[in-house]
Amino acid sequence: MSGRVCPVDVILAVDAGSSSVRCTAFQVSGRAGSVSAEGDGGLVRKMEGHSIKLEALAPTTGRIKIDNVLDAVDECVDETLRRVRRLTTGETTRVVSIGMTTFCMNLVGVDHAGEPVGESATLSYACNSERVSQECLFLKQCLGEDRLATLHRRTGTNLHGSYAMPQLMAHYKDESDYRVSDKIHRWQTISSLVLHRWSGNQRIQMP
């Protein structure tokens, strides 16, 4: 009687950056020990990967070319898994975990179906528009020096136009954005949006 063949367990690491998207697959060895990306001595072993170069952000506005980013993520994952299956011919491959990183401060407006409203309903750290700068100044005037100092002590950062609050204020005050804003049901990060598309769960929230 032949023994039972164990599946090849794989962890996928996805990085959606502003200039490229990449996916790397790691095989889980099943042995306790330190995590290492090289060799057979650790808990995981690097197998295959794929990357795509792209310009994810529009200049000045920092708008996210969200359709391009999502397509690149899917393509990188598909190609990485294709290469993994080529390595493990005759064996069952099982994705047991997925980790994802993205560029800092990104928000995507989605409709009731969880689909992106469009590039005009996106925010990112790369925004450098005059409208957002004005909102940032308005917030500083409203808070005053004492509360700004408290905010800095609590967060370690100064109020800046690259953060979500002044960008959201500018977005909802701009009359040209009203049609877009009416379509937005909620804001999600790129990572939570990707996991929603894969799992069907619209309530996923993660940084």
Side-chain angles (χ1 to χ4, degrees), residues 1-2 55 84 88 94-95 97 102 115 118 150 162 167-168 177:
M1 183 176 179
S2 60
E55 294 182 2
V84 167
T88 58
R94 180 174 62 180
V95 177
S97 185
T102 61
E115 293 300 316
T150 300
S162 62
Q167 292 189 41
L168 285 167
D177 287 337

Side-chain angles (χ1 to χ4, degrees), residues 6-14 23-30 43-49 76-89 91-99 198:
C6 295
V8 177
D9 289 341
V10 173
I11 296 172
L12 295 181
V14 180
C23 177
T24 306
F26 298 87
Q27 181 179 355
V28 181
S29 69
L43 185 61
V44 296
R45 178 176 63 86
K46 184 175 179 180
M47 299 179 72
E48 279 288 356
C76 280
V77 171
D78 287 346
E79 177 60 20
T80 298
L81 289 176
R82 187 189 70 79
R83 295 181 181 186
V84 167
R85 293 188 184 103
R86 186 177 59 192
L87 282 177
T88 58
T89 302
E91 299 178 274
T92 301
T93 302
R94 180 174 62 180
V95 177
V96 295
S97 185
I98 298 174
W198 290 344

Side-chain angles (χ1 to χ4, degrees), residues 43-185:
L43 185 61
V44 296
R45 178 176 63 86
K46 184 175 179 180
M47 299 179 72
E48 279 288 356
H50 184 64
S51 64
I52 297 174
K53 291 186 179 297
L54 81 162
E55 294 182 2
L57 303 175
T60 307
T61 64
R63 299 293 193 189
I64 304 168
K65 301 174 183 179
I66 187 60
D67 290 338
N68 293 351
V69 173
L70 295 176
D71 287 345
V73 169
D74 289 343
E75 182 178 339
C76 280
V77 171
D78 287 346
E79 177 60 20
T80 298
L81 289 176
R82 187 189 70 79
R83 295 181 181 186
V84 167
R85 293 188 184 103
R86 186 177 59 192
L87 282 177
T88 58
T89 302
E91 299 178 274
T92 301
T93 302
R94 180 174 62 180
V95 177
V96 295
S97 185
I98 298 174
M100 186 168 184
T101 59
T102 61
F103 48 85
C104 59
M105 213 308 276
N106 63 85
L107 288 174
V108 180
V110 299
D111 59 21
H112 285 270
E115 293 300 316
V117 171
E119 186 176 325
S120 58
T122 61
L123 310 174
S124 82
Y125 73 94
C127 178
N128 191 30
S129 73
E130 182 62 27
R131 288 191 300 133
V132 172
S133 297
Q134 291 173 356
E135 291 300 334
C136 203
L137 179 60
F138 174 74
L139 280 171
K140 290 178 180 179
Q141 292 171 343
C142 290
L143 290 171
E145 292 184 5
D146 290 343
R147 282 190 286 181
L148 282 173
T150 300
L151 181 65
H152 182 267
R153 286 195 298 270
R154 293 178 61 185
T155 64
T157 60
N158 293 310
L159 189 59
H160 195 275
S162 62
Y163 299 150
M165 181 58 72
Q167 292 189 41
L168 285 167
M169 291 174 65
H171 176 84
Y172 283 105
K173 286 183 179 179
D174 188 347
E175 293 183 1
S176 64
D177 287 337
Y178 285 170
R179 286 186 181 180
V180 175
S181 300
D182 287 344
K183 297 178 183 178
I184 299 173
H185 178 57

